Amino acid sequence: MAAPRAASPRRRPRLLLPLLLPLLLPAPSDGLGHSAELAFAVEPSDDVAVPGQPVMLGCRVEGTPPVRISWRKNGVELPESTHSTLLANGSLMIRHFRLDPGGSLSDEGDYECVAQNRFGLVVSRKARIQAATMSDFHVHPQAAVGEEGGVARFQCQIHGLPKPLITWEKNRVPIDTDNERYTLLPKGVLQITGLRAEDSGVFYCVASNIASVRVSHGARLTVSGSGSGAYKEPTILVGPENLTLTVHQTAVLECVATGNPRPIVSWSRLDGRPIGVEGIQVLGTGNLIISDVTVQHSGVYVCAANRPGTRVRRTAQGRLVVQAPAEFVQHPQSISRPAGTTAMFTCQAQGEPPPHVTWLKNGQVLGPGGHVRLKNNNSTLTISGIGPEDEAIYQCVAENSAGSSQASARLTVLWAEGLPGPPLNVRAVSVSSTEVRVSWNEPLVNTKEIIGYVLHIRKAADPPELEYQEAVSKSTFQHLVSDLEPFTAYSFYIKAYTPRGASSASTPTLASTLGEAPAPPPLSVRVLGSSSLQLLWEPWPRLAQHEGGFKLFYRPASKASFTGPILLPGTVSSYNLSRLDPTAVYEVKLLAYNQHGDGNATVRFVSLRGASERTALSPPCDCRKEEATNQTSTTGIVIGIHIGVTCIIFCVLFLLFGQRGRVLLCKDVENQLSPPQGPRSQRDPGILALNGAGRAERGRLGRDEKRVDVKELEQLFPLAGAAGQADPRPNPRPTDPAAPGLCEETQFSMLPLQGFGLLEEMTSEAKAPCAGSAAVPLPQDAGPGLPSDGQVAWPSMAPVAQPALSGQ
């Protein structure tokens, strides 16, 4: 199997040339209306049958005759016999219903009516036929004792088909249903309110349906004297049960409450919605009856027993779930489409719970596959490239737990006269790993109007919607399909096109491209140590599916032979090499292989020498030696920090106070660094020179005021003058004629800040020109105004104090 390849845009569905699009043909006018289709006027319904009694299943069909009607039982066609008879109107008569539990002779099951004419076949909804039954009582009424004015309740439970009718007897005489104090609920409950002494007796539950009649055990009611009249909290004896019903049935929500005084029973919905009034009634003293329930009646109902005149109350609740059989919101419509085009049916159904939709084609379940697609929860059926075999009646069947429904529509495939037949003898032969040659013969009939062929191509494993086409000239009977994927199966079929439409599709043919060796794998190398490497690449699981994997080779670059191959599975993505020569350069080679051979290798060169040298240059830490070194350098660090802080303070002051501030600051520095001098003007050009004034500014001062004498500067900065005299070399830079040359050497305010850091590297052997100063080496690119030899006499900064700013 070839290695995974980068995705390419080469395989995109392409539109055919407009010239080759089939022309839509008008539907033939045969005068057929709805009767031309096949539809049910009457469908069978569920029923309960009594063993030995006849059963009738109704079915009536409308459509173009002749119409053939048959029946299925549990999906199998029901043969005609003397036991079951097909009537002339299509109904089925079972003369004597048989019940054979677990046997093959039982008539219980699901029945379907099947109708067929020349247009197709339809199947009715399923009708379930069950035998009438009656079980024994699951719950018998129990004896009860009550006080006069109180409440008594009896209940019985029994199952049967159809649902049994429950009545009650007192002392084997049917109770008077006109008595308002007696309430009979359909679920088998008898309530007696406002008990009296004459209510005492034995009560029986009587259940009856078409299968049988059963009577429960007797339950005695004893009514004692009147109550004490003491106050009693409201109490709900029986609250509403959870119910699941189908639409149009009746819901009975029971609520029996006692207390003294007699509580008031009320109902509400938990979600706050109003219960409504239509079809709603209260039976007895608090039972809620909802007739003809709908889905909107679903919810949680709350019964509340309130003490009159107070807010004291007790509540109980029950959930009502109303199911609705599936019914159609949108029916499928019969359509006519030209051959080779696409037909679409839409069918939308609703119900509670939401129904499941299936499709039938002439009575057979239709699933997705080939040119048939189902979308939107099966509500949309799409048939692409229709042909004569697709002409049929299609049914949409919606079904849920409450029931089922079906609707049908017919597909008519239109053919224009004179269309060519399908191309013949379509063959596909693999040419390479990416090419297949497809050839065919022209149709047998109506070939003169052919304007071209269209070849339909898709991967055999892909759905039909991923198919693409390539147009071919009418004079060409073969086509080379290129740019395919290696070792992949493809499906091909072809159609001939004329100005009036397309022919039917040829028989599809399959062909697989040839395989090829894998591409070179991407490889990266990581040095783990002086004698080990880690190789990393992407895993290719598909190699393992086709007898493939990786081969690894390595060698020192100075040797001729490789070590290997080391065979690795396609799922592996790394490998470590160890015990290598730390001084050697290694060549590593990785390739992928499969049953078609070895692919090209990826080669990497890596040197371990650098890792070995880095290890040698990083000896273990000598903590004692480093501690001693740190102690000897502490003094230099403190001096450097002191000078740096001082410089920052000077810079901030220069920025804050401008030119005047700088003059005042320099004067204070002068007074602190130089011997006592006589009074001098604050406008002294020498002070301005200290602040780094440019040559132009000094020239301007020289013209406007008296020039500074050299001796005066020497007295102001004797150390700077000594340093200037100690340098025997001439100054290569021109001096400003407006100022003596000594001023060039005393502009220490322009010293770069990195000069301060060099104080750490000064040795005790450096000789200062005079006490209190040190010779500091400067960078060779020092700015103008500094000596050319890179040295300047700098007064010691230790005694400098920050100048006072008050009063300036």
Side-chain angles (χ1 to χ4, degrees), residues 155-242:
Q155 180 181 10
C156 65
Q157 288 185 2
I158 190 171
H159 295 313
L161 281 176
K163 185 178 179 179
L165 174 65
I166 304 296
T167 59
W168 290 86
E169 296 178 352
K170 174 187 174 184
N171 299 328
R172 305 311 307 256
V173 176
I175 64 172
D176 183 9
T177 56
D178 293 334
N179 191 334
E180 294 181 351
R181 296 187 302 108
Y182 284 65
T183 301
L184 281 69
L185 301 183
K187 64 177 184 177
V189 173
L190 170 63
Q191 299 174 357
I192 306 175
T193 59
L195 287 175
R196 302 174 182 174
E198 62 264 26
D199 292 328
S200 298
V202 179
F203 289 82
Y204 297 89
C205 173
V206 180
S208 60
N209 66 5
I210 59 176
S212 180
V213 177
R214 298 191 184 277
V215 180
S216 72
H217 299 161
R220 179 173 294 278
L221 172 63
T222 302
V223 180
S224 62
S226 59
S228 62
Y231 168 76
K232 293 182 180 179
E233 288 282 345
T235 302
I236 295 180
L237 298 179
V238 180
E241 298 178 345
N242 295 332

Side-chain angles (χ1 to χ4, degrees), residues 27 52 111 189 263 333 531:
Y111 288 80
V189 173
Q333 301 296 320
S531 61

Side-chain angles (χ1 to χ4, degrees), residues 322-643:
V322 181
Q323 296 183 340
E327 61 178 358
F328 291 104
V329 178
Q330 180 179 358
H331 292 73
Q333 301 296 320
S334 297
I335 55 176
S336 299
R337 293 289 182 271
T341 60
T342 298
M344 179 181 296
F345 295 101
T346 300
C347 161
Q348 293 186 359
Q350 66 181 9
E352 185 60 40
H356 174 68
V357 175
T358 57
W359 288 87
L360 305 179
K361 175 186 176 182
N362 284 339
Q364 301 298 320
V365 176
L366 184 65
H371 63 307
V372 176
R373 287 176 288 168
L374 295 175
K375 299 186 297 182
N376 302 326
N377 292 327
N378 291 357
S379 63
T380 302
L381 169 66
T382 303
I383 309 171
S384 58
I386 59 174
E389 69 280 1
D390 297 310
E391 194 167 75
I393 294 179
Y394 293 85
Q395 284 181 272
C396 173
V397 180
E399 186 173 10
N400 63 7
S401 57
S404 64
S405 184
Q406 63 84 31
S408 61
R410 181 165 64 95
L411 171 61
T412 302
V413 180
L414 304 177
W415 291 87
E417 295 183 0
L419 289 179
L424 305 175
N425 301 326
V426 179
R427 300 172 298 277
V429 179
S430 297
V431 177
S432 67
S433 60
T434 59
E435 295 177 325
V436 171
R437 187 179 303 278
V438 181
S439 60
W440 63 93
N441 295 337
E442 68 177 355
L444 293 177
V445 295
N446 302 325
T447 60
K448 293 183 179 180
E449 296 185 3
I450 293 178
I451 59 176
Y453 297 91
V454 175
L455 181 61
H456 297 252
I457 309 160
R458 69 176 175 92
K459 291 182 182 179
D462 284 349
E465 56 263 28
L466 296 183
E467 175 186 280
Y468 62 95
Q469 302 88 33
E470 292 185 359
V472 184
S473 168
K474 66 177 183 179
S475 60
T476 302
F477 299 101
Q478 66 176 3
H479 182 68
L480 183 65
V481 183
S482 59
D483 222 10
L484 304 177
E485 293 187 10
F487 206 71
T488 304
Y490 285 85
S491 172
F492 306 91
Y493 68 91
I494 194 166
K495 291 181 180 180
Y497 278 80
T498 69
R500 290 186 292 176
S503 71
S504 57
S506 68
T507 302
T509 184
L510 295 175
S512 296
T513 53
L514 301 177
E516 66 177 2
L523 174 64
S524 60
V525 182
R526 179 186 299 171
V527 178
L528 299 180
S530 59
S531 61
S532 59
L533 298 174
Q534 185 180 39
L535 311 179
L536 302 170
W537 63 90
E538 292 292 331
W540 291 348
R542 296 180 65 183
L543 289 175
Q545 303 173 7
H546 299 279
E547 304 175 4
F550 296 100
K551 292 182 181 180
L552 175 63
F553 303 85
Y554 70 96
R555 67 175 179 181
S558 59
K559 294 186 179 180
S561 59
F562 281 91
T563 299
I566 301 174
L567 299 181
L568 303 171
T571 55
V572 171
S573 61
S574 65
Y575 189 80
N576 292 349
L577 297 176
S578 59
R579 298 181 182 180
L580 303 177
D581 184 358
T583 63
V585 175
Y586 278 85
E587 179 182 359
V588 181
K589 182 168 64 173
L590 181 70
L591 60 86
Y593 69 93
N594 59 15
Q595 70 268 38
H596 301 290
D598 295 347
N600 293 329
T602 302
V603 180
R604 295 287 184 269
F605 289 87
V606 60
S607 174
L608 295 172
R609 188 175 305 153
S612 177
E613 292 175 354
R614 285 192 297 272
T615 302
L617 291 175
S618 302
C621 172
D622 187 351
C623 299
R624 295 182 180 179
K625 182 177 179 181
E626 289 187 1
E627 182 178 357
T629 304
N630 293 337
Q631 292 176 354
T632 57
S633 61
T634 302
T635 304
I637 294 175
V638 171
I639 295 174
I641 294 175
H642 187 122
I643 296 175

Side-chain angles (χ1 to χ4, degrees), residues 14-29:
R14 300 175 218 169
L15 298 176
L16 299 179
L17 295 176
L19 184 63
L20 297 179
L21 287 174
L23 302 177
L24 294 178
L25 302 179
S29 177

